[in-house]
């Protein structure tokens, strides 16, 4: 994003001038997150969660690298190596709990970030690429988290790996071969643990690379804002630093308070007790569930209990589970409303807050519930509504609803006064 009124970077001492002429890294940072980056003046705290997601990734990488120094990717000693980290490594318990709960907090802030994008239609032109890269990051996060969940080699790790990789066997023709290729054999074993550990270590750095592309794509059109209208003049913007660095700093403080409370006082609150039992392929847990952040998609997977013509129920569940994420890639073209912000779309707002959000929360609850009635029937109903919302309800609303009048500028929405066109 380039605005003529944006403050330009001017090195003050000789060393910085020399550095700027040969490696303009300070200029890049200044223009990306400093006073040289003008942003809308009306951003609320929902815009904090992008920064918080970056902080969560840094926590995961730092703790993960240190944990990898003490972890052994071998089925004979993997569980014991985790116990060794917890009991014998200096502050190992803190590193492990921070890494384990950091994954949950990473998903929490990313889910809120996505819901903000859905409500304010941040996927609309000209920010389609920002949205699409964000979904790529989300898919990479899911793959990384699943592989990380396998590494402790407890009961839920082993059986989670067996169940989830078993889904690929439902793919016609290539399914069994694909499952065997993923596992490195016919069931989770040493080969599985080694390749999952390698990918779990590498993928966070891939995520960091895609985040750079995500931020780069964001800086071309600039940040969206709660009104959904574009910047009209200098009065509509303020420098990112110090205004939003201070606001992000406050959000970070709140984030760290909750993160520390969970890590120090309730470290296993979001985990499963069966994962503190060593993996045993001869003893199937009574209730196999993935981590909580996969529960909505797991509920959609389990909602299909019957065959449809020649398509098996298992394959239908796999298609629906992946389709529930893939359809988000098409939102920029499914939502044809010229208005972005949900604040000015009364019908859209009702279906969002009283339809989509309760539906996803219900799917999350059902994903962690036993695969029995009435949970299966409720999963089927909630899954049907989820797809109907994006494929039927949203397109119809976007073409038929009458939005509220938009303010003429961001400044007018904040101050109630029209923008001075000469500013």
């Amino acid at each position: 994003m380039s605005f003529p009124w944006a403050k330009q970077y001017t090195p003050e001492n000789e060393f910085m001038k020399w550095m700027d002429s040969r490696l303009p890294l300070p200029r890049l940072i200044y223009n990306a997150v400093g006073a040289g980056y003008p942003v809308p003046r009306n951003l609320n705290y929902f815009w904090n969660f992008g920064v918080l997601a970056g902080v969560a990734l840094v926590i995961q990488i730092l703790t993960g690298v240190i944990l990898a120094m003490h972890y052994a990717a071998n089925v004979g000693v993997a569980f014991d190596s985790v116990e060794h980290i917890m009991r014998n490594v200096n502050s190992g318990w803190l590193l492990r709990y921070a890494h384990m709960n950091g994954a949950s907090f990473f998903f929490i802030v990313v889910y809120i970030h996505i819901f903000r994008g859905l409500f304010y239609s941040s996927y609309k032109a000209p920010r389609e690429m920002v949205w699409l890269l964000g979904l790529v990051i989300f898919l990479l996060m899911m793959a990384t988290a699943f592989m990380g969940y396998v590494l402790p080699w407890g009961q839920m790790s082993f059986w989670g790996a067996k169940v989830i990789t078993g889904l690929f066997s439902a793919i016609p023709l290539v399914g069994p071969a694909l499952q065997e290729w993923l596992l490195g054999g016919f069931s989770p074993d040493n080969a599985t643990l080694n390749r999952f550990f390698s990918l779990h270590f590498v993928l966070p750095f891939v995520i960091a690379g895609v985040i750079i592309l995500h931020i780069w794509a964001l800086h071309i059109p600039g940040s969206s804002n709660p009104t959904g209208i574009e910047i009209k003049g200098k009065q509509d913007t303020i420098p990112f630093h110090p205004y939003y660095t201070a606001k992000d700093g406050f959000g970070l403080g709140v984030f760290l308070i909750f993160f520390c409370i969970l890590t120090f006082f309730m470290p296993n609150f979001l985990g499963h007790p069966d994962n503190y039992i060593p993996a045993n392929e001869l003893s199937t847990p009574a209730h196999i569930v993935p981590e909580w952040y996969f529960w909505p998609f797991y509920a959609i997977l389990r909602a299909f209990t019957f065959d449809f013509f020649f398509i098996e129920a298992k394959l239908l569940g796999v298609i629906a589970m992946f389709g529930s994420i893939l359809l988000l890639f098409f939102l920029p073209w499914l939502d044809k409303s010229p208005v972005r912000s949900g604040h000015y779309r009364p019908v859209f707002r009702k279906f969002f807050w009283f339809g989509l959000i309760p539906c996803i929360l219900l799917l999350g609850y059902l994903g962690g519930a036993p695969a029995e009635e009435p949970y299966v029937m409720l999963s089927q109903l909630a899954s049907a509504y989820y797809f109907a919302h994006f494929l039927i309800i949203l397109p119809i609303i976007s073409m038929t609803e009458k939005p509220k009048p938009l303010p003429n500028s961001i400044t007018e929405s904040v101050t109630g006064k029209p923008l001075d066109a000469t500013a």
Side-chain angles (χ1 to χ4, degrees), residues 185-394:
F186 299 104
S187 66
D189 209 332
N190 256 339
T192 311
L193 197 58
N194 273 281
R195 61 189 57 191
F196 278 22
F197 174 61
S198 299
L199 289 172
H200 181 71
F201 190 91
V202 170
L203 283 179
F205 298 98
V206 178
I207 292 173
V210 182
I211 286 176
I212 292 173
L213 296 178
H214 184 65
I215 296 172
W216 188 3
L218 173 66
H219 278 60
I220 294 173
S223 299
S224 60
N225 63 86
T227 62
I229 58 179
E230 297 298 331
I231 293 170
K232 301 289 179 62
K234 181 180 179 181
Q235 291 181 2
D236 281 346
T237 67
I238 55 176
F240 186 84
H241 178 77
Y243 297 100
Y244 285 116
T245 50
K247 196 168 188 175
D248 286 337
F250 175 79
L252 176 60
V254 175
F255 169 87
L256 291 176
I257 288 172
F258 283 102
F259 177 68
C260 290
I261 289 173
L262 194 68
T263 301
F264 287 102
F265 299 103
M266 299 183 294
N268 294 299
F269 178 73
L270 298 175
H272 199 288
D274 279 9
N275 225 30
Y276 282 96
I277 303 172
N280 183 356
E281 61 182 334
L282 300 179
S283 175
T284 308
H287 181 37
I288 301 173
V289 291
E291 287 280 56
W292 69 267
Y293 34 78
F294 294 137
W295 285 357
F297 309 104
Y298 195 55
I300 293 174
L301 169 71
R302 298 191 310 186
F304 291 83
T305 57
F306 52 87
D307 298 343
F308 184 76
F309 292 105
F310 58 89
I311 306 177
E312 294 182 356
K314 184 178 180 180
L315 179 58
L316 286 172
V318 172
I319 293 172
M321 182 180 68
F322 286 108
S324 65
I325 302 173
L326 294 178
L327 70 81
L328 298 178
F329 282 87
F330 298 94
L331 273 184
W333 300 277
L334 290 172
D335 186 358
K336 300 181 183 299
S337 173
V339 176
R340 294 191 183 96
S341 175
H343 288 308
Y344 301 95
R345 302 174 62 185
V347 180
F348 168 86
R349 186 169 65 247
K350 288 183 175 66
F351 274 97
F352 181 86
W353 288 115
F354 302 109
L356 180 62
I357 296 299
C359 172
I360 294 175
L361 292 176
L362 178 60
L363 283 170
Y365 169 75
L366 295 172
E372 58 189 34
E373 296 297 347
Y375 305 117
V376 174
M377 182 188 67
L378 290 173
S379 296
Q380 293 168 344
L381 294 174
S383 299
Y385 182 85
Y386 177 88
F387 284 99
H389 178 89
F390 290 110
L391 296 175
I392 300 173
I393 297 172
L394 182 61

Side-chain angles (χ1 to χ4, degrees), residues 144-159:
T144 307
F146 165 64
M147 293 173 186
Y149 191 48
V150 175
L151 299 186
W153 210 243
Q155 272 289 75
M156 208 53 64
S157 297
F158 175 86
W159 289 99

Side-chain angles (χ1 to χ4, degrees), residues 70 72 77 84 92 95 105 123 150 156 168 179 276 307 339 345 362 397 399 416-417:
H70 303 277
V77 294
H84 164 71
L95 290 168
F105 271 81
Y123 46 79
V150 175
M156 208 53 64
F168 291 92
Q179 180 190 9
Y276 282 96
D307 298 343
V339 176
R345 302 174 62 185
L362 178 60
I397 289 175
M399 292 185 290
K417 300 177 181 179

Side-chain angles (χ1 to χ4, degrees), residues 3-14:
F3 293 120
W5 59 82
K7 189 176 180 181
Q8 300 301 311
Y9 176 73
T10 52
E12 296 183 356
N13 59 62
E14 293 301 321

